[in-house]
Amino acid sequence: MDSQKLADFWMCSSLLFVALLVSSVSFSVAEVHYHEFVIQARPVKRLCRTHSTITVNGQFPGPTLVVRDGDSLVITAINRARYNVTLHWHGIHQLRNPWADGPEYVTQCPIQPGGTYTYRFTIQDQEGTLWWHAHSKWLRATVYGALIIYPRWGLHYPFPVPKREFPILLGEWFDRNPMDVLKQALFTGAAPNVSDAYTINGQPGDLYRCSSKGTAVFPVMPGETILLRIINAALNQELYFSVANHQMIVVGVDAAYTRPFATNVIMIGPGQTTNVLITANQAPGRYYMAARAYQTAQNAAFDNTTTTAILQYISTSGSKGKGQSSRPILPRLPAYNDTGPATAFTSSLRSPWKIEVPTQIDENLFFTVGLGLINCSNPNSPRCQGPNGTRFAASMNNVSFVFPRTNSLMQAYYQGVPGVFTTDFPPVPPIQFDYTGNVSRGLWQPIKATKLYKLKYGSRVQIVLQDTSIVTPEDHPIHLHGYSFAVIGAGFGNFNPRNDPAKFNLIDPPVRNTIGTPPGGWVAIRFVADNPGVWLMHCHIDSHLVWGLAMSFLVENGVGQLQSVIPPPLDLPRC
């Protein structure tokens, strides 16, 4: 990107941000934002090769949605691709409105090729950085974008207003059709092939073949502070992220503010977002921001490449300045399997004020999460290429979740259709064992079922998510649809119900919608079940999701219309 383009980019981004702030003087009402999202294949060239890539409106990544708390969105999805598709607005609570949530066969049947569906929802008491993505098989590898929620008119950030801001979308690129990668893995029962590159805003960066010309560049003037809205849209990988020679001040995660703290590196799991402030206080130059894998699964293949973008200092005239044509400086990133920086980062997160955390618990749940293996009657079958002639699986409380194929869970519940699901998901593991120890092979094979757990409206819920050592300990980023939750505690080893609750943070815990289980450890969350509907909870590593690492809550209606699910829209896709 040449100097004039950088200057124009800087001017446009600054004017847009100033316009958003200044216009608050004139407008004080919520807006309705109308969009058309056309899902279609378009040629996209990366790593020297052009692929027919599923995009939204021909863009990769897709459009950035910019709204304010209180605004409404009306987004018509038009499916011109050859695959079924749904869209999920990750982290939006969708109060009383599961019909707009989007997970395939959970709250809707998919939009078939040639079909349309209009998602209608309102942002209610949320602000910060979220994102949207396809929620159908592996389409979200390329169908995703940022969703930025500004405070209501007249309200401000609880930190100094940055000069400008940039969304930073971290992704994975496959040098073949991601749907074919998934198809092969589902046939063989083995782990899917890993990605060929990571990306920042759709671009792999300077360290990959045929990629330098497209490397994302973010201009900054000396002395100014900018806000990076970092989103991990990768399919299957937690990532470390850093900016060379620049300290980051963390001010938010998952559309919830945090008590500011300084760090040189963040760990961000698939589905998570992190807002950081950076001050351009270094010598004028070019500095890489970079991301690479945080890998906790043992003896598992992973993409060990590094994606980069450039933070580039510019002068007021738009010139790059003297000595800035040299190669940018790379940041130091932790070793791939180093859990220390990840633990230090997550344990530093706090809310900036006291949070209303339930102290009396109605539903005390304990869920094991992890992988498993399905034994094959013919281990030499081409469909049994997992370890020792098995097929990979995954489960919660030994139940490997099976998605319906003829109806969605929400539609079946709302219409009273029997036989689609049961409500006997176990609140605790069916068999207690040493979860992080040497687990008997007799416990490695889960059962396959479509089991939901029923919650009464208003019930106060605690869930301890316990990783297991079955196949391998691993950090599983667990996402709960329809809710945010307080992360009240975490630790390594087996959760101890006698001693560990004494260490819970019930004052200022961070609030999230996606949280990782420490590898070989546990994490505890709490929330109030005040959003009726069927809400999926699943690992946001998509290879684990298709293996069954999921379950769903059925939150019953409360009293009256304001505590009940709204009727389904007339254009809800037919099953």
Side-chain angles (χ1 to χ4, degrees), residues 240 265-267 294 296 334 338-348 475 519:
Y240 278 125
V265 64
I266 70 168
M267 192 285 287
Y294 168 50
T296 57
D338 189 352
T339 62
T343 304
F345 175 75
T346 55
S347 62
S348 297
D475 187 318

Side-chain angles (χ1 to χ4, degrees), residues 197-435:
Y198 300 113
T199 58
I200 295 177
N201 290 0
Q203 295 291 342
D206 290 351
L207 305 185
Y208 298 89
R209 65 184 186 275
C210 304
S211 299
S212 292
K213 288 184 179 179
T215 299
V217 178
F218 302 97
V220 62
M221 290 185 63
E224 69 182 16
T225 297
I226 62 173
L227 176 67
L228 302 184
R229 298 177 177 270
I230 307 164
I231 299 164
N232 187 347
L235 270 184
N236 296 317
Q237 192 65 59
E238 288 106 350
L239 295 167
Y240 278 125
F241 175 89
S242 184
V243 181
N245 291 13
H246 289 75
Q247 198 170 58
M248 295 177 285
I249 306 298
V250 179
V251 292
V253 293
D254 292 1
Y257 293 115
T258 63
R259 182 185 303 169
F261 69 93
T263 183
N264 292 320
V265 64
I266 70 168
M267 192 285 287
I268 184 167
Q272 294 182 328
T273 73
T274 304
N275 284 3
V276 302
L277 296 172
I278 291 181
T279 299
N281 55 10
Q282 298 299 301
R286 303 165 74 223
Y287 298 86
Y288 276 132
M289 54 180 72
R292 74 177 185 189
Y294 168 50
Q295 175 67 12
T296 57
Q298 299 171 5
N299 302 314
F302 68 99
D303 181 348
N304 64 358
T305 62
T306 302
T307 181
T308 58
I310 297 173
L311 182 71
Q312 182 161 297
Y313 283 62
I314 60 173
S315 68
T316 53
S317 64
S319 65
K320 290 186 291 185
K322 189 175 180 180
Q324 292 197 41
S325 60
S326 59
R327 189 175 185 86
I329 301 169
L330 264 171
R332 290 185 178 180
L333 288 164
Y336 302 114
N337 63 350
D338 189 352
T339 62
T343 304
F345 175 75
T346 55
S347 62
S348 297
L349 293 169
R350 293 284 187 276
S351 291
W353 40 69
K354 190 178 187 306
I355 298 297
E356 292 186 15
V357 181
T359 53
Q360 301 297 316
I361 299 301
D362 303 306
E363 297 279 358
N364 196 353
L365 308 176
F366 184 89
F367 292 175
T368 55
V369 297
L371 304 185
L373 298 175
I374 301 293
N375 296 321
C376 294
S377 56
N378 177 13
N380 296 319
S381 166
R383 296 186 60 85
C384 298
Q385 297 184 38
N388 302 313
T390 61
R391 292 180 60 84
F392 271 109
S395 69
M396 291 187 175
N397 277 358
N398 203 48
V399 179
S400 186
F401 192 76
V402 177
F403 288 84
R405 282 295 175 264
T406 58
N407 205 344
S408 77
L409 299 174
M410 187 62 217
Q411 287 164 280
Y413 170 62
Y414 192 86
Q415 298 164 359
V417 178
V420 178
F421 62 86
T422 61
T423 56
D424 57 345
F425 185 88
V428 296
I431 298 175
Q432 293 187 358
F433 57 96
D434 181 3
Y435 308 112

Side-chain angles (χ1 to χ4, degrees), residues 126-180:
Q126 292 186 269
E127 54 189 73
T129 303
L130 294 175
W131 64 301
W132 59 267
H133 60 82
H135 215 299
S136 305
K137 297 185 170 66
W138 275 21
L139 288 181
R140 81 167 180 89
T142 55
V143 177
Y144 62 86
L147 201 172
I148 297 171
I149 309 172
Y150 288 106
R152 293 176 184 266
W153 295 116
L155 301 180
H156 306 285
Y157 298 139
F159 50 82
V161 176
K163 187 70 175 180
R164 75 189 109 206
E165 53 188 62
F166 302 105
I168 307 291
L169 292 105
L170 309 177
E172 282 183 276
W173 179 260
F174 292 81
D175 202 20
R176 59 180 295 198
N177 184 349
M179 295 290 275
D180 291 340

Side-chain angles (χ1 to χ4, degrees), residues 460-513:
R460 296 157 295 189
V461 183
Q462 174 178 294
I463 309 174
V464 174
L465 298 163
Q466 173 71 62
D467 183 34
T468 77
S469 58
I470 296 175
V471 181
T472 176
E474 188 168 359
D475 187 318
H476 295 281
I478 304 297
H479 172 49
L480 176 59
H481 288 232
Y483 289 89
S484 296
F485 47 76
V487 183
I488 59 173
F492 290 97
N494 296 334
F495 175 72
N496 186 322
R498 292 185 178 180
N499 300 329
D500 287 329
K503 296 176 282 188
F504 284 171
N505 177 6
L506 304 180
I507 305 300
D508 59 353
V511 175
R512 306 211 67 152
N513 61 56

